[in-house]
Amino acid sequence: MRLAALTTFLLLVIALPLAGWIALARTRIRFLAEALIALPLVLPPTVLGFYLLVGLGPTTALGRTVTAMLGHTLAFSFTGLVVGSVLYSLPFAVQPIVAGLRAVDPVFLEAAATLGASPIRRYLRIAMPLAKGSILTAAVLTFTHTVGEFGVVLMLGGSIPGRTKTLSIALYNLVENGDFASASHLALLLMGFSTLALVLLYMRPSSRRTRAVT
């Protein structure tokens, strides 16, 4: 849960300006950025975990620099899990916000521009409030996806109790040890948590429509 909360916070900080640039900019480079951001959706998580493990290890210049700064390698550490989770969950944070920003009527932004509002002010005061539902969706999807992530965290962090052992890895260990009763309880907990989060998320638009009709 600590990993999911920190990953969600960091990704919202990263995704809000990045999604604004993708949705509102007029440069062709944004298509390349969208493709790179969406890559974790089609890339096996073990592949991303492997490249992070190698790239952030002591055999590369980047890995040695990070080790010198932190005093330890990112591999098999909680910090490494955060880095891997941020990269792997990036599309779950960026894509919903991009969709919400693209749904904002450009008339509002153009009107603000004629009144002298700067691009940053238009984004912060108009676009973001109108896309707040998509921002909430991004936060929920990022959190639940990080809770259930397995491949990247296993490759990058292993299964060290109290440091890198997440719920999904704990479930895998229980099955591997033949403790199917405990594994069933943990699996039901994860399924129930994810289902509840999505139900609460999808209830919001329905409740607003109901109030509008009444």
Side-chain angles (χ1 to χ4, degrees), residues 1-5 7 76-85 89 143-175 183 186-187 189-190:
M1 291 299 177
R2 183 162 59 101
L3 174 64
T7 298
F76 307 108
S77 68
F78 180 77
T79 306
L81 290 188
V82 173
V83 173
S85 297
S89 295
F143 189 91
T144 53
H145 180 257
T146 305
V147 169
E149 170 49 28
F150 177 77
V152 171
V153 296
L154 181 62
M155 289 290 291
L156 194 58
S159 180
I160 304 174
R163 288 180 56 190
T164 63
K165 189 173 184 179
T166 61
L167 288 172
S168 57
I169 294 177
L171 176 60
Y172 174 80
N173 289 340
L174 289 172
V175 174
L186 185 54
L189 174 65
L190 289 171

Side-chain angles (χ1 to χ4, degrees), residues 26-187:
R26 295 293 181 265
T27 174
R28 293 181 180 273
I29 303 177
R30 73 181 190 275
F31 298 116
L32 176 61
E34 282 190 276
L36 292 176
I37 290 169
L39 192 59
L41 294 176
V42 296
L43 192 68
T46 50
V47 173
L48 179 60
F50 170 74
Y51 280 117
L52 287 173
L53 183 64
V54 174
L56 298 175
T59 59
T60 65
L62 177 60
R64 289 191 293 271
T65 301
V66 172
T67 301
M69 293 174 58
L70 299 179
H72 59 81
T73 62
L74 284 179
F76 307 108
S77 68
F78 180 77
T79 306
L81 290 188
V82 173
V83 173
S85 297
V86 165
L87 291 176
Y88 190 63
S89 295
L90 186 61
F92 292 89
V94 173
Q95 290 186 347
I97 299 177
V98 169
L101 292 173
R102 285 176 173 168
V104 172
D105 194 335
V107 171
F108 298 117
L109 300 177
E110 293 168 0
T114 60
L115 296 174
S118 66
I120 295 179
R121 186 176 179 84
R122 296 198 299 269
Y123 180 63
L124 295 176
R125 299 296 299 273
I126 298 176
M128 277 182 53
L130 290 175
K132 61 182 180 182
S134 298
I135 297 173
L136 176 62
T137 299
V140 172
L141 291 179
T142 299
F143 189 91
T144 53
H145 180 257
T146 305
V147 169
E149 170 49 28
F150 177 77
V152 171
V153 296
L154 181 62
M155 289 290 291
L156 194 58
S159 180
I160 304 174
R163 288 180 56 190
T164 63
K165 189 173 184 179
T166 61
L167 288 172
S168 57
I169 294 177
L171 176 60
Y172 174 80
N173 289 340
L174 289 172
V175 174
E176 190 177 36
N177 294 330
D179 190 354
F180 289 96
S182 298
S184 177
H185 293 157
L186 185 54

